[in-house]
Amino acid sequence: MVNDNISRGYALAIGMITAFVSPAWGIGAGIVLYLLLIGKNGGAMEGTASKEDKQVS
């Protein structure tokens, strides 16, 4: 489910906030962190190739 280090950090931060503060803070922080770390485009950056595109033949 988690493909890169940004997503791992995102999941860890949400889990810790939810565990130590409250679920409402976890949801709010999740939305903010998603926009900051992953962005509106869902992590697909222009000009970057995916792992499948980088395979050497």
Side-chain angles (χ1 to χ4, degrees), residues 18-41:
T18 302
F20 290 116
V21 182
S22 73
W25 277 96
I27 291 171
I31 293 168
V32 171
L33 287 173
Y34 180 84
L35 292 174
L36 288 175
L37 296 175
I38 299 173
K40 292 181 181 179
N41 61 356

